[in-house]
Amino acid sequence: MMRAMKVMKFGGSSVKDAEKFRAVAQIIREHSREQRVLVVLSAMRGVTDVLINAAHEAEAGDTRYKQKVQDIRKRQEEAAAELFTGSAGSSAASQVTSLLNGLIDQLDSILHGVELVRECSPRTLDLVQSFGEILNCHLFAAYLNSSGTPAEMVDARELILTDDSHGSAEVDFPASYDRIRRAIERIAGTPVITGFIAATADGITTTLGRNGSDYTASIVGAGAGADLIEIWTDVDGVYSADPRFVPESFVVPEISYAEAMELSYFGAKVIHPYTMIPAVEKNIPLVIKNTLNPAAPGTRIVQTAEPKSLPVTGIASVGNVALINVEGGGMVGIPGIASRVFGALARARVNIIMISQASSEHSICAVFPESHARDATESLKRELAPELHARKIQEFSLRTDLEIVAVIGGDMRGRPGISGRLFGSLGDAGINVLAIAQGSSEMNISFVVRREDRDRVLNAVHRAFFPDGDPFKK
Ligand code: ADP
Ligand code: ASP
Ligand code: MG
């Protein structure tokens, strides 16, 4: 009989220091007894941010990047010294330390190059970021080996093929699946695969977008034909709202792929939205588990979740967004106005998160990341110059410091009274809502509020839908 196989992905939150490494290795050992385990690993917590900041400093000619490289070196050395003990350990430690130091020297040279040319292209930034995962996987694979679990570091640049959209590359699934299957067949021990990074056909390093190691886990699972993909993090599962902001939130035991996709798209960082794509295609269940509390059952993400008899499944929010409103009496009946507005935004590569249009055709509003605000405004001004000149459209109003909040649930469909309860709770809390949209799938209602109102909104809405606290508590 074929041995069952699963992917276990550990995020930066699970691999912060030597102590966490030990806990993760123990979890892997236990799970490897019953089935084949494929490990996917992120960079150590915070390292990707440090690398990005170092690259920006080098580009600006600010030599503080050198200290950042030294800090990474120190962190790796300290972790290695703590992990490998005893005489056999010390030789393993010096071996891996010299390997890691060689890599850090390379990183230093690349950043020095950036400092000299004063330019860090998206392509170079991807290369710089890749060191986080590469260093960590070398260290962790060496530790697994030294602690009795035969393991092999696997560089995902040899497995996952993408285009050259640096920063958030598009995956070539058939080619990647083929490479993954062959690599997994070849490797005898436990592969420790770098999350987040990939490469083009020419071998140029790319990344899958921030938080992208979850996506790597799912691509690897689909390619290898795994039975299960586990995402191990620092919380007990998918909560009804971000537990950092909503103390009354609780773990939801089972949700559908579609619900997980909506929640993560609207800011539930616990899983990257693209993770669901390969899992859906191959119908592989995903499970969110807690490294700090492995006994907790976690959250299962499956094709069709059991009806929960809850009005909604979860509430999520996305910050740092801006809203632009295109409005004017002269807009009514201008053919193609919506297509021109969205065409202009697309040309400026603005990533629209939410749209709402009044049925009076009097106004269209789009919400996007704050960082796109200038490009969005300029592109719209160019496109609509004749209408602005003729006063058919008013000057655009742009608002920043906003938050999109989304209420999500597969069981919302056809259930009357959800909007009433939602907006009633916001009214009672005295919250001013700037825009509203509802997906026609009736799985999500999203609305825009001021950033400073976020915590009050999340808690008020959570209480409105879950007045009695955790419905799954036994
Ligand atoms: P990792 O480093 O393991 O990938 P992340 O920081 O990317 O971990 O994701 C886990 C974090 O996601 C949690 O610590 C939690 O604060 C946050 N989070 C946001 N929304 C939710 C939610 N609905 N359920 C669970 N966690 C959430
Ligand atoms: N290390 C990468 C990041 O911080 C990928 C990940 O953690 O999933 O974005
Ligand atoms: Mg993450």
Side-chain angles (χ1 to χ4, degrees):
M1 214 182 81
M2 280 265 286
R3 208 170 161 225
M5 179 176 14
K6 72 172 169 185
V7 177
M8 299 177 78
K9 176 261 171 178
F10 295 88
S13 61
S14 300
V15 283
K16 200 171 72 180
D17 50 29
E19 191 192 323
K20 289 264 167 54
F21 263 55
R22 284 205 189 86
V24 168
Q26 179 60 27
I27 293 171
I28 292 171
R29 251 191 305 280
E30 279 166 19
H31 288 249
S32 303
R33 283 192 204 111
E34 283 134 39
Q35 55 203 308
R36 173 132 207 238
V37 168
L38 317 176
V39 175
V40 172
L41 204 61
S42 299
M44 274 193 203
R45 168 167 257 172
V47 166
T48 309
D49 287 329
V50 172
L51 289 166
I52 294 172
N53 289 335
H56 290 322
E57 282 170 359
E59 184 176 31
D62 175 348
T63 53
R64 276 181 298 178
Y65 78 84
K66 291 180 194 284
Q67 186 56 46
K68 294 205 164 60
V69 175
Q70 282 316 320
D71 292 345
I72 292 177
R73 197 186 293 274
K74 195 159 152 252
R75 211 167 144 189
Q76 298 284 350
E77 279 174 0
E78 281 174 2
E82 261 188 69
L83 285 170
F84 302 93
T85 47
S87 58
S90 72
S91 110
S94 67
Q95 242 179 12
V96 72
T97 305
S98 84
L99 174 73
L100 298 179
N101 275 330
L103 287 164
I104 295 171
D105 291 344
Q106 268 180 35
L107 168 67
D108 204 25
S109 307
I110 294 165
L111 288 170
H112 184 57
V114 170
E115 183 195 351
L116 290 177
V117 297
R118 291 292 192 88
E119 193 207 356
C120 185
S121 62
R123 169 172 162 169
T124 304
L125 189 61
D126 274 352
L127 179 63
V128 169
Q129 290 182 77
S130 71
F131 281 85
E133 271 67 16
I134 291 171
L135 291 167
N136 209 27
C137 286
H138 273 299
L139 179 60
F140 190 67
Y143 174 61
L144 275 182
N145 270 316
S146 82
S147 58
T149 306
E152 186 175 320
M153 184 291 189
V154 181
D155 188 329
R157 291 178 294 189
E158 283 158 25
L159 303 185
I160 301 178
L161 181 72
T162 67
D163 71 358
D164 62 357
S165 323
H166 289 282
S168 184
E170 296 276 344
V171 175
D172 176 337
F173 290 103
S176 304
Y177 289 168
D178 194 45
R179 292 178 186 196
I180 291 163
R181 190 181 37 76
R182 279 188 281 127
I184 299 306
E185 277 169 12
R186 176 187 61 76
I187 297 168
T190 301
V192 177
I193 305 163
T194 54
F196 180 52
I197 65 172
T200 64
D202 298 331
I204 304 299
T205 303
T206 55
T207 58
L208 303 178
R210 291 305 307 274
N211 221 357
S213 298
D214 301 335
Y215 186 25
T216 305
S218 181
I219 298 166
V220 167
D227 306 287
L228 185 67
I229 300 160
E230 290 179 347
I231 307 290
W232 290 75
T233 181
D234 61 351
V235 286
D236 276 353
V238 178
Y239 279 69
S240 51
D242 190 333
R244 286 171 303 178
F245 311 136
V246 182
E248 289 171 17
S249 62
F250 50 85
V251 176
V252 185
E254 189 176 81
I255 62 176
S256 67
Y257 292 130
E259 288 173 320
M261 188 105 77
E262 294 272 342
L263 279 167
S264 57
Y265 180 73
F266 284 103
K269 194 185 164 215
V270 64
I271 190 159
H272 189 285
Y274 295 170
T275 315
M276 270 56 76
I277 299 168
V280 169
E281 186 197 339
K282 306 276 178 180
N283 199 9
I284 307 173
L286 288 152
V287 180
I288 311 291
K289 294 277 292 177
N290 189 353
T291 312
L292 309 170
N293 183 17
T299 297
R300 278 180 78 77
I301 306 176
V302 293
Q303 189 73 49
T304 321
E306 288 287 317
K308 289 176 275 292
S309 13
L310 295 181
V312 308
T313 302
I315 303 154
S317 69
V318 194
N320 298 326
V321 296
L323 176 153
I324 203 160
N325 201 23
V326 180
E327 190 173 352
M331 262 167 72
V332 180
I334 303 180
I337 188 85
S339 118
R340 283 172 59 203
V341 166
F342 296 117
L345 294 173
R347 274 195 300 285
R349 300 183 70 85
V350 172
N351 168 25
I352 302 171
I353 311 173
M354 184 183 136
I355 297 168
S356 105
Q357 179 178 20
S359 55
S360 65
E361 293 183 55
H362 203 87
S363 78
I364 298 174
C365 100
V367 186
F368 39 77
E370 227 164 55
S371 55
H372 294 182
R374 216 181 66 199
D375 291 348
T377 318
E378 281 171 7
S379 185
L380 280 174
K381 272 195 180 140
R382 266 195 305 277
E383 174 63 37
L384 299 172
E387 286 79 7
L388 283 164
H389 183 73
R391 302 268 189 311
K392 285 186 173 169
I393 289 178
Q394 298 163 15
E395 282 302 319
F396 311 123
S397 62
L398 177 80
R399 294 205 48 173
T400 53
D401 294 319
L402 303 177
E403 191 90 12
I404 300 181
V405 177
V407 175
I408 288 143
D411 302 341
M412 255 160 77
R413 209 165 292 147
R415 220 183 228 255
I418 301 279
S419 304
R421 202 182 316 180
L422 168 61
F423 293 110
S425 72
L426 295 174
D428 292 345
I431 304 288
N432 183 23
V433 177
L434 295 143
I436 302 171
Q438 174 171 24
S440 59
S441 64
E442 283 190 58
M443 249 190 72
N444 142 12
I445 303 173
S446 41
F447 55 94
V448 180
V449 295
R450 291 180 311 174
R451 177 179 307 153
E452 66 224 54
D453 291 335
R454 179 196 62 198
D455 292 8
R456 229 152 40 89
V457 169
L458 291 174
N459 283 285
V461 173
H462 197 275
R463 203 157 303 135
F465 287 109
F466 308 110
D468 305 320
D470 184 350
F472 301 104
K473 213 173 192 164
K474 303 215 174 65

PDB file of all heavy atoms in Angstrom, residues 65 67 155 230 251 253 263 290 322 326 329 365 375 413 426 431 441 452:
ATOM      1  N   TYR A  65      22.805  49.135   6.344  1.00  0.00           N
ATOM      2  CA  TYR A  65      22.473  47.773   5.893  1.00  0.00           C
ATOM      3  C   TYR A  65      23.520  46.765   6.360  1.00  0.00           C
ATOM      4  O   TYR A  65      23.218  45.606   6.609  1.00  0.00           O
ATOM      5  CB  TYR A  65      22.292  47.730   4.372  1.00  0.00           C
ATOM      6  CG  TYR A  65      23.574  47.727   3.561  1.00  0.00           C
ATOM      7  CD1 TYR A  65      24.262  46.539   3.319  1.00  0.00           C
ATOM      8  CD2 TYR A  65      24.086  48.903   3.041  1.00  0.00           C
ATOM      9  CE1 TYR A  65      25.448  46.554   2.585  1.00  0.00           C
ATOM     10  CE2 TYR A  65      25.251  48.917   2.317  1.00  0.00           C
ATOM     11  CZ  TYR A  65      25.934  47.742   2.092  1.00  0.00           C
ATOM     12  OH  TYR A  65      27.094  47.737   1.378  1.00  0.00           O
ATOM     13  N   GLN A  67      25.064  46.605   9.171  1.00  0.00           N
ATOM     14  CA  GLN A  67      24.735  46.141  10.523  1.00  0.00           C
ATOM     15  C   GLN A  67      23.619  45.099  10.457  1.00  0.00           C
ATOM     16  O   GLN A  67      23.631  44.101  11.182  1.00  0.00           O
ATOM     17  CB  GLN A  67      24.315  47.350  11.381  1.00  0.00           C
ATOM     18  CG  GLN A  67      24.097  47.015  12.846  1.00  0.00           C
ATOM     19  CD  GLN A  67      25.331  46.352  13.486  1.00  0.00           C
ATOM     20  OE1 GLN A  67      26.456  46.819  13.289  1.00  0.00           O
ATOM     21  NE2 GLN A  67      25.115  45.235  14.180  1.00  0.00           N
ATOM     22  N   ASP A 155      16.036  23.524  -2.450  1.00  0.00           N
ATOM     23  CA  ASP A 155      15.852  24.907  -2.884  1.00  0.00           C
ATOM     24  C   ASP A 155      14.666  24.937  -3.861  1.00  0.00           C
ATOM     25  O   ASP A 155      14.726  24.334  -4.946  1.00  0.00           O
ATOM     26  CB  ASP A 155      17.155  25.354  -3.578  1.00  0.00           C
ATOM     27  CG  ASP A 155      17.152  26.833  -3.891  1.00  0.00           C
ATOM     28  OD1 ASP A 155      16.064  27.385  -4.135  1.00  0.00           O
ATOM     29  OD2 ASP A 155      18.248  27.425  -3.899  1.00  0.00           O
ATOM     30  N   GLU A 230      -0.698  20.750   5.886  1.00  0.00           N
ATOM     31  CA  GLU A 230      -0.855  21.390   7.196  1.00  0.00           C
ATOM     32  C   GLU A 230      -0.049  22.686   7.236  1.00  0.00           C
ATOM     33  O   GLU A 230       1.125  22.710   6.868  1.00  0.00           O
ATOM     34  CB  GLU A 230      -0.353  20.466   8.316  1.00  0.00           C
ATOM     35  CG  GLU A 230      -1.257  19.266   8.532  1.00  0.00           C
ATOM     36  CD  GLU A 230      -0.764  18.327   9.621  1.00  0.00           C
ATOM     37  OE1 GLU A 230       0.395  18.452  10.067  1.00  0.00           O
ATOM     38  OE2 GLU A 230      -1.549  17.445  10.020  1.00  0.00           O
ATOM     39  N   VAL A 251     -11.947  29.870  17.629  1.00  0.00           N
ATOM     40  CA  VAL A 251     -11.496  29.070  16.483  1.00  0.00           C
ATOM     41  C   VAL A 251     -12.708  28.432  15.801  1.00  0.00           C
ATOM     42  O   VAL A 251     -13.572  27.859  16.472  1.00  0.00           O
ATOM     43  CB  VAL A 251     -10.531  27.952  16.943  1.00  0.00           C
ATOM     44  CG1 VAL A 251     -10.144  27.058  15.770  1.00  0.00           C
ATOM     45  CG2 VAL A 251      -9.302  28.558  17.583  1.00  0.00           C
ATOM     46  N   PRO A 253     -13.908  25.399  13.642  1.00  0.00           N
ATOM     47  CA  PRO A 253     -13.303  24.079  13.368  1.00  0.00           C
ATOM     48  C   PRO A 253     -13.193  23.719  11.890  1.00  0.00           C
ATOM     49  O   PRO A 253     -12.251  23.036  11.494  1.00  0.00           O
ATOM     50  CB  PRO A 253     -14.241  23.091  14.075  1.00  0.00           C
ATOM     51  CG  PRO A 253     -15.129  23.900  14.939  1.00  0.00           C
ATOM     52  CD  PRO A 253     -15.127  25.303  14.447  1.00  0.00           C
ATOM     53  N   LEU A 263     -11.801  35.183   3.427  1.00  0.00           N
ATOM     54  CA  LEU A 263     -11.247  35.706   4.681  1.00  0.00           C
ATOM     55  C   LEU A 263      -9.816  36.185   4.480  1.00  0.00           C
ATOM     56  O   LEU A 263      -9.437  37.263   4.930  1.00  0.00           O
ATOM     57  CB  LEU A 263     -11.265  34.621   5.774  1.00  0.00           C
ATOM     58  CG  LEU A 263     -12.597  34.418   6.489  1.00  0.00           C
ATOM     59  CD1 LEU A 263     -12.575  33.127   7.304  1.00  0.00           C
ATOM     60  CD2 LEU A 263     -12.904  35.607   7.416  1.00  0.00           C
ATOM     61  N   ASN A 290      -1.357  24.766  15.377  1.00  0.00           N
ATOM     62  CA  ASN A 290      -0.547  25.645  16.216  1.00  0.00           C
ATOM     63  C   ASN A 290       0.703  24.934  16.732  1.00  0.00           C
ATOM     64  O   ASN A 290       0.604  23.949  17.459  1.00  0.00           O
ATOM     65  CB  ASN A 290      -1.400  26.128  17.400  1.00  0.00           C
ATOM     66  CG  ASN A 290      -0.716  27.219  18.192  1.00  0.00           C
ATOM     67  OD1 ASN A 290       0.453  27.533  17.940  1.00  0.00           O
ATOM     68  ND2 ASN A 290      -1.437  27.799  19.136  1.00  0.00           N
ATOM     69  N   ALA A 322      -7.095  53.236   0.385  1.00  0.00           N
ATOM     70  CA  ALA A 322      -7.612  54.557   0.027  1.00  0.00           C
ATOM     71  C   ALA A 322      -8.863  54.367  -0.821  1.00  0.00           C
ATOM     72  O   ALA A 322      -9.035  53.319  -1.456  1.00  0.00           O
ATOM     73  CB  ALA A 322      -6.556  55.314  -0.766  1.00  0.00           C
ATOM     74  N   VAL A 326     -15.615  58.853  -7.920  1.00  0.00           N
ATOM     75  CA  VAL A 326     -15.815  59.594  -9.168  1.00  0.00           C
ATOM     76  C   VAL A 326     -17.302  59.899  -9.221  1.00  0.00           C
ATOM     77  O   VAL A 326     -18.118  58.987  -9.237  1.00  0.00           O
ATOM     78  CB  VAL A 326     -15.395  58.739 -10.385  1.00  0.00           C
ATOM     79  CG1 VAL A 326     -15.612  59.507 -11.679  1.00  0.00           C
ATOM     80  CG2 VAL A 326     -13.946  58.303 -10.247  1.00  0.00           C
ATOM     81  N   GLY A 329     -23.195  64.865 -11.668  1.00  0.00           N
ATOM     82  CA  GLY A 329     -24.520  64.780 -12.279  1.00  0.00           C
ATOM     83  C   GLY A 329     -24.424  64.424 -13.756  1.00  0.00           C
ATOM     84  O   GLY A 329     -25.254  63.694 -14.297  1.00  0.00           O
ATOM     85  N   CYS A 365     -17.218  54.238  -6.829  1.00  0.00           N
ATOM     86  CA  CYS A 365     -16.063  54.365  -5.959  1.00  0.00           C
ATOM     87  C   CYS A 365     -15.243  53.090  -5.972  1.00  0.00           C
ATOM     88  O   CYS A 365     -15.765  51.989  -6.137  1.00  0.00           O
ATOM     89  CB  CYS A 365     -16.479  54.855  -4.578  1.00  0.00           C
ATOM     90  SG  CYS A 365     -16.608  53.627  -3.349  1.00  0.00           S
ATOM     91  N   ASP A 375      -0.868  57.126  -8.311  1.00  0.00           N
ATOM     92  CA  ASP A 375      -0.995  56.617  -9.680  1.00  0.00           C
ATOM     93  C   ASP A 375      -2.459  56.569 -10.095  1.00  0.00           C
ATOM     94  O   ASP A 375      -2.810  56.886 -11.245  1.00  0.00           O
ATOM     95  CB  ASP A 375      -0.413  55.193  -9.777  1.00  0.00           C
ATOM     96  CG  ASP A 375       1.096  55.208  -9.621  1.00  0.00           C
ATOM     97  OD1 ASP A 375       1.679  56.303  -9.664  1.00  0.00           O
ATOM     98  OD2 ASP A 375       1.679  54.123  -9.444  1.00  0.00           O
ATOM     99  N   ARG A 413     -25.895  32.966   2.518  1.00  0.00           N
ATOM    100  CA  ARG A 413     -26.729  32.964   1.312  1.00  0.00           C
ATOM    101  C   ARG A 413     -28.193  32.708   1.661  1.00  0.00           C
ATOM    102  O   ARG A 413     -28.505  31.750   2.370  1.00  0.00           O
ATOM    103  CB  ARG A 413     -26.222  31.854   0.391  1.00  0.00           C
ATOM    104  CG  ARG A 413     -26.423  32.099  -1.048  1.00  0.00           C
ATOM    105  CD  ARG A 413     -25.574  31.139  -1.857  1.00  0.00           C
ATOM    106  NE  ARG A 413     -24.151  31.418  -1.722  1.00  0.00           N
ATOM    107  CZ  ARG A 413     -23.193  30.471  -1.757  1.00  0.00           C
ATOM    108  NH1 ARG A 413     -23.507  29.212  -1.882  1.00  0.00           N
ATOM    109  NH2 ARG A 413     -21.927  30.806  -1.650  1.00  0.00           N
ATOM    110  N   LEU A 426     -23.455  48.742  13.654  1.00  0.00           N
ATOM    111  CA  LEU A 426     -22.559  49.869  13.366  1.00  0.00           C
ATOM    112  C   LEU A 426     -23.235  51.191  13.748  1.00  0.00           C
ATOM    113  O   LEU A 426     -22.605  52.089  14.299  1.00  0.00           O
ATOM    114  CB  LEU A 426     -22.176  49.878  11.881  1.00  0.00           C
ATOM    115  CG  LEU A 426     -21.338  48.679  11.433  1.00  0.00           C
ATOM    116  CD1 LEU A 426     -21.128  48.699   9.928  1.00  0.00           C
ATOM    117  CD2 LEU A 426     -19.991  48.689  12.145  1.00  0.00           C
ATOM    118  N   ILE A 431     -20.777  54.381  14.217  1.00  0.00           N
ATOM    119  CA  ILE A 431     -19.713  54.310  13.212  1.00  0.00           C
ATOM    120  C   ILE A 431     -20.208  54.877  11.885  1.00  0.00           C
ATOM    121  O   ILE A 431     -21.298  54.526  11.413  1.00  0.00           O
ATOM    122  CB  ILE A 431     -19.278  52.835  12.978  1.00  0.00           C
ATOM    123  CG1 ILE A 431     -18.848  52.177  14.276  1.00  0.00           C
ATOM    124  CG2 ILE A 431     -18.216  52.749  11.881  1.00  0.00           C
ATOM    125  CD1 ILE A 431     -17.544  52.633  14.820  1.00  0.00           C
ATOM    126  N   SER A 441     -22.313  36.536  -4.822  1.00  0.00           N
ATOM    127  CA  SER A 441     -22.339  35.175  -4.294  1.00  0.00           C
ATOM    128  C   SER A 441     -22.976  35.169  -2.900  1.00  0.00           C
ATOM    129  O   SER A 441     -23.205  34.110  -2.326  1.00  0.00           O
ATOM    130  CB  SER A 441     -20.915  34.629  -4.176  1.00  0.00           C
ATOM    131  OG  SER A 441     -20.207  35.394  -3.224  1.00  0.00           O
ATOM    132  N   GLU A 452      -9.137  54.559  12.354  1.00  0.00           N
ATOM    133  CA  GLU A 452      -9.176  54.666  13.822  1.00  0.00           C
ATOM    134  C   GLU A 452     -10.391  53.944  14.414  1.00  0.00           C
ATOM    135  O   GLU A 452     -10.423  53.672  15.603  1.00  0.00           O
ATOM    136  CB  GLU A 452      -9.147  56.137  14.252  1.00  0.00           C
ATOM    137  CG  GLU A 452     -10.383  56.904  13.842  1.00  0.00           C
ATOM    138  CD  GLU A 452     -10.051  58.267  13.272  1.00  0.00           C
ATOM    139  OE1 GLU A 452      -9.251  58.327  12.329  1.00  0.00           O
ATOM    140  OE2 GLU A 452     -10.607  59.259  13.767  1.00  0.00           O
TER     141      GLU A 452
END
